[in-house]
């Protein structure tokens, strides 16, 4: 199954007849298929994988505006609050309208890993977070994380 929402492609991997968790994963270069295949080869427990690709990472996944520490890249625009709102109000309802879900997990790597953890500070809709090689270098994030409480412990 695949959907287009706000110029992003959401591809759902998995077909189950019983309720299972769903993992929302931002990818940079459409790695969802290879990640899904690897999980199947490893024999992971059943789950749905909702790959979110497209959009602009530096715009959509940065929690607040900041100069980019990697000078060759575009500025970090800080539009994560708007994108998280779209995930909660558009992406999740569309993805889950015909699925039986037990838990929601948000996952990501690099800047998407930072976004995943930051999301847990800003909504209680996710039960768990996977932040792989997350961009905790993001200016001000460590202060934010140590001074902000989760609305619900992930």
């Amino acid at each position: 199954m695949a959907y287009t929402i706000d110029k992003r492609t959401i591809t759902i991997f998995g077909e189950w007849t019983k309720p299972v968790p769903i993992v929302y994963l931002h990818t940079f270069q459409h790695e969802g298929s290879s990640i899904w295949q690897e999980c199947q080869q490893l024999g992971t427990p059943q789950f749905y994988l909702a790959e979110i690709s497209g959009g602009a990472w530096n715009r959509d996944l940065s929690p607040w505006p900041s100069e980019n520490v990697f000078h060759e890249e575009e500025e970090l625009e800080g539009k994560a609050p708007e994108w998280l709102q779209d995930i909660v109000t558009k992406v999740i309802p569309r993805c889950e309208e015909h699925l039986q879900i037990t838990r929601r997990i948000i996952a990501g790597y690099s800047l998407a890993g930072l976004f995943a953890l930051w999301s847990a500070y800003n909504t209680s809709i996710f039960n768990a977070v996977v932040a792989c090689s997350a961009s905790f270098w993001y200016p001000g994030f460590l202060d934010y994380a140590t001074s902000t409480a989760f609305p619900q412990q992930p």
Side-chain angles (χ1 to χ4, degrees), residues 15-28:
E15 293 184 29
W16 312 111
T17 58
K18 65 178 186 175
V20 298
I22 187 166
V23 176
Y24 290 91
L25 172 68
H26 285 85
T27 64
F28 187 68

Side-chain angles (χ1 to χ4, degrees), residues 103-104 106 116-117 120-121 123 126-129 149-154:
R103 299 176 60 199
R104 274 187 208 99
I106 187 164
L117 183 57
Y121 284 103
T123 183
F126 300 107
N127 305 102
V129 174
F150 292 112
Q152 172 183 304
Q153 186 67 35

Side-chain angles (χ1 to χ4, degrees), residues 49-64:
L49 175 63
E51 175 194 24
I52 302 169
S53 59
W57 277 44
N58 288 348
R59 179 190 67 219
D60 300 332
L61 302 180
S62 54
W64 46 80

Side-chain angles (χ1 to χ4, degrees), residues 92-122:
I92 289 174
R94 179 73 168 117
C95 289
E96 296 180 14
E97 68 184 336
H98 300 296
L99 303 178
Q100 297 178 57
I101 302 301
T102 59
R103 299 176 60 199
R104 274 187 208 99
I105 301 160
I106 187 164
Y109 61 90
S110 191
L111 192 56
L114 176 87
F115 175 80
L117 183 57
W118 173 87
S119 295
Y121 284 103
N122 290 277

Side-chain angles (χ1 to χ4, degrees), residues 126-148:
F126 300 107
N127 305 102
V129 174
V130 178
C132 301
S133 190
S135 299
F136 295 145
W137 53 261
Y138 197 87
F141 184 74
L142 292 180
D143 290 336
Y144 177 81
T146 58
S147 65
T148 305

Side-chain angles (χ1 to χ4, degrees), residues 80-101:
E82 291 91 340
W83 176 231
L84 178 59
Q85 182 65 27
D86 284 348
I87 289 172
V88 170
T89 62
K90 297 177 185 177
V91 174
I92 289 174
R94 179 73 168 117
C95 289
E96 296 180 14
E97 68 184 336
H98 300 296
L99 303 178
Q100 297 178 57
I101 302 301

